Amino acid sequence: GENVEQHPSTLSVQEGDSAVIKCTYSDSASNYFPWYKQELGKRPQLIIDIRSNVGEKKDQRIAVTLNKTAKHFSLHITETQPEDSAVYFCAATETSYDKVIFGPGTSLSVIP
Amino acid sequence: DSGVTQTPKHLITATGQRVTLRCSPRSGDLSVYWYQQSLDQGLQFLIQYYNGEERAKGNILERFSAQQFPDLHSELNLSSLELGDSALYFCASSVARTTNTGELFFGEGSRLTVL
């Protein structure tokens, strides 16, 4: 079955700097890769996603890149702000959306 | 508000007991997923239902069971509870298996404490 690894487990950056979180997946059949943000005490919420027919996707300060050959994808946050502090989860699944498997999470702290 | 309702929000019980967690998906969503989030842990996939049928199973213990009813709400039953079952249990729903969106909408979670 699918296994998703995520690095780093914790990340601390200065406000205004960039943050990069990397994930790898094992199942070559996976073709949908969402990213979720979970603020302290809150539920996870989708922030961006990418499909295997796309190499990169951007939405304002966040971007995701996918290398299907290497089976890895990354989240890039530019010009970080304190409100970006949260736990970020990557995930992988097929287009049936069955069995959405999450990575272990990255706790991002943005220092003002 | 995601539109996904989970009850109860908090539950405290003793080892050996049985509890039922309930989830009402967003209106129109056919898929329901259950995840377990232990302290400082990630989201462990337990089980997924689509329109009343089990679609995928993850690391769900034999002491745990779930079902999705005709009105699409779902229940997760946890029995013979152990201290290690203490966790936040999330339910999530999504529209359908064949639409272009794969977004999961999470409920607020049910926090289970086993003493």
Side-chain angles (χ1 to χ4, degrees):
Chain A
E2 177 66 275
N3 181 52
V4 179
E5 296 185 353
Q6 185 172 346
H7 299 279
S9 58
T10 60
L11 180 59
S12 184
V13 299
Q14 292 289 334
E15 182 178 358
D17 287 350
S18 295
V20 179
I21 302 170
K22 298 182 179 182
C23 290
T24 60
Y25 62 99
S26 62
D27 190 345
S28 58
S30 290
N31 51 16
Y32 174 66
F33 308 93
W35 287 86
Y36 286 78
K37 175 183 180 183
Q38 186 179 24
E39 297 178 358
L40 190 63
K42 302 271 183 78
R43 58 188 168 87
Q45 290 186 272
L46 180 73
I47 55 171
I48 194 167
D49 56 13
I50 191 167
R51 299 178 188 279
S52 59
N53 58 346
V54 175
E56 182 175 0
K57 184 177 179 180
K58 293 181 77 171
D59 183 3
Q60 299 183 340
R61 296 186 297 107
I62 60 173
V64 58
T65 59
L66 170 65
N67 183 328
K68 198 160 170 61
T69 303
K71 295 184 191 170
H72 65 71
F73 55 113
S74 301
L75 178 71
H76 304 252
I77 306 174
T78 59
E79 300 172 17
T80 54
Q81 300 168 3
E83 51 265 39
D84 293 330
S85 296
V87 178
Y88 291 81
F89 293 98
C90 61
T93 187
E94 302 176 39
T95 43
S96 64
Y97 309 124
D98 293 339
K99 210 167 188 176
V100 180
I101 302 300
F102 285 82
T106 296
S107 178
L108 172 64
S109 297
V110 179
I111 303 166
Chain B
D1 183 9
S2 66
V4 178
T5 303
Q6 287 188 249
T7 57
K9 287 187 169 53
H10 301 275
L11 190 56
I12 301 174
T13 188
T15 55
Q17 295 298 306
R18 172 189 170 93
V19 299
T20 297
L21 309 181
R22 181 188 169 100
C23 170
S24 294
R26 291 189 323 154
S27 177
D29 284 2
L30 299 176
S31 280
V32 168
Y33 304 73
W34 286 98
Y35 288 89
Q36 179 192 57
Q37 186 173 43
S38 302
L39 192 64
D40 294 332
Q41 295 294 311
L43 295 159
Q44 298 296 319
F45 172 71
L46 296 178
I47 198 163
Q48 183 220 350
Y49 283 85
Y50 175 77
N51 202 20
E53 295 187 2
E54 182 184 305
R55 287 298 310 174
K57 222 169 188 177
N59 300 321
I60 186 166
L61 300 172
E62 285 193 9
R63 300 183 287 108
F64 295 1
S65 65
Q67 56 183 322
Q68 186 179 29
F69 295 87
D71 66 352
L72 300 178
H73 91 271
S74 178
E75 293 181 355
L76 179 66
N77 301 296
L78 315 175
S79 62
S80 303
L81 285 168
E82 303 176 357
L83 296 177
D85 297 328
S86 295
L88 185 57
Y89 291 85
F90 280 109
C91 167
S93 72
S94 68
V95 179
R97 298 176 62 234
T98 56
T99 58
N100 283 331
T101 175
E103 180 173 2
L104 299 185
F105 294 88
F106 283 83
E108 298 293 330
S110 292
R111 182 167 294 284
L112 172 66
T113 302
V114 182
L115 300 177

